Amino acid sequence: MKIGVLGSGQVAQVLAAGFLKHGHQVTIGSRTPAKLADWAVKNPGAKTGTFADAAAFGELLVLAVKGHVAADVLKLAGEQNLAGKTIADATNPAADAPPDHGVLQLFTSPTLSLMEQLQSQFPAANFVKVFNSIGAAFMVNPQFPGGPPTMFIAGSSDAAKKQVTAILDQFGWETADMGGVESARAIEPLCMLWCLPGFLNNQWTHAFKLLKL
């Protein structure tokens, strides 16, 4: 597939490299594409450009930016470039505040997730929450003694979730579909739980696993 990655931070770069590894075509976008020059040298198969360039290129888009700028980035990407496309939403609504006793603070409420807000602002796109409750080092083909970890996803388009599930299969994950866009209210706070061992004990090498009978 043609993948457009919106973002230039660590998560965006890791996911873009993962798509390249699995044979996809990639354009990664930034406000300042020049900051991706070193990454582009290490990943010669990819293209770099603006958010609009990446959004126009991608058949599927990945949103990998800080939560508080997510809506602005999507506006810069251009609503016409988002229409009808799956947006794999890896953002978290982390507040601009230090953790409270290891607990990451969010700027959203328990009754309205960031992804719900984005889906409402950009209704022509199909958002799927994914990759928000794992560290960048384990996003692509994670290896754990207990087998493939579980990635929880949510979104209101079944077709979009099938696209994201196919990617997760390639990336070595077990997928757990938690339902519609409203379920992001439960999935986004998982980032708080995932970060707790890190903030408290500097332990960042773990993942979630859903066990079933």
Side-chain angles (χ1 to χ4, degrees), residues 56-72:
F57 174 83
E59 299 168 301
L60 179 145
L61 307 180
V62 178
L63 182 62
V65 296
K66 292 183 178 179
H68 69 275
V69 301
D72 290 338

Side-chain angles (χ1 to χ4, degrees), residues 21-191:
K21 171 185 173 182
H22 286 283
H24 300 282
Q25 300 175 58
V26 176
T27 294
I28 183 169
S30 172
R31 292 179 193 267
T32 52
K35 74 190 325 183
L36 290 163
D38 289 343
W39 182 88
V41 170
K42 297 176 183 176
N43 298 272
K47 298 178 182 178
T48 61
T50 64
F51 292 131
D53 292 333
F57 174 83
E59 299 168 301
L60 179 145
L61 307 180
V62 178
L63 182 62
V65 296
K66 292 183 178 179
H68 69 275
V69 301
D72 290 338
V73 167
L74 291 170
K75 289 176 184 177
L76 290 171
E79 291 192 44
Q80 72 281 4
N81 294 323
L82 309 179
K85 295 181 181 179
T86 297
I87 300 181
D89 174 18
T91 64
N92 275 316
D96 188 17
D100 180 10
H101 295 81
V103 180
L104 187 70
Q105 300 188 58
L106 306 184
F107 61 73
T108 49
S109 74
T111 57
L112 186 64
S113 66
L114 174 58
M115 193 175 81
E116 286 177 280
Q117 296 176 44
L118 297 176
Q119 183 67 81
S120 178
Q121 287 178 265
F122 304 93
N126 299 308
F127 288 80
V128 178
K129 180 60 67 176
V130 66
F131 291 121
N132 75 300
S133 56
I134 189 67
F138 301 102
M139 288 183 173
V140 181
N141 299 110
Q143 301 294 318
F144 286 94
T150 304
M151 180 64 66
F152 299 97
I153 68 170
S156 293
S157 167
D158 288 338
K161 287 189 287 188
K162 285 180 180 178
Q163 282 189 310
V164 170
T165 298
I167 289 166
L168 291 170
D169 288 345
Q170 285 188 320
F171 282 16
W173 284 88
E174 172 189 84
T175 302
D177 183 350
M178 295 289 104
V181 65
E182 298 82 7
S183 298
R185 299 173 199 171
I187 296 176
E188 287 180 355
L190 285 178
C191 71

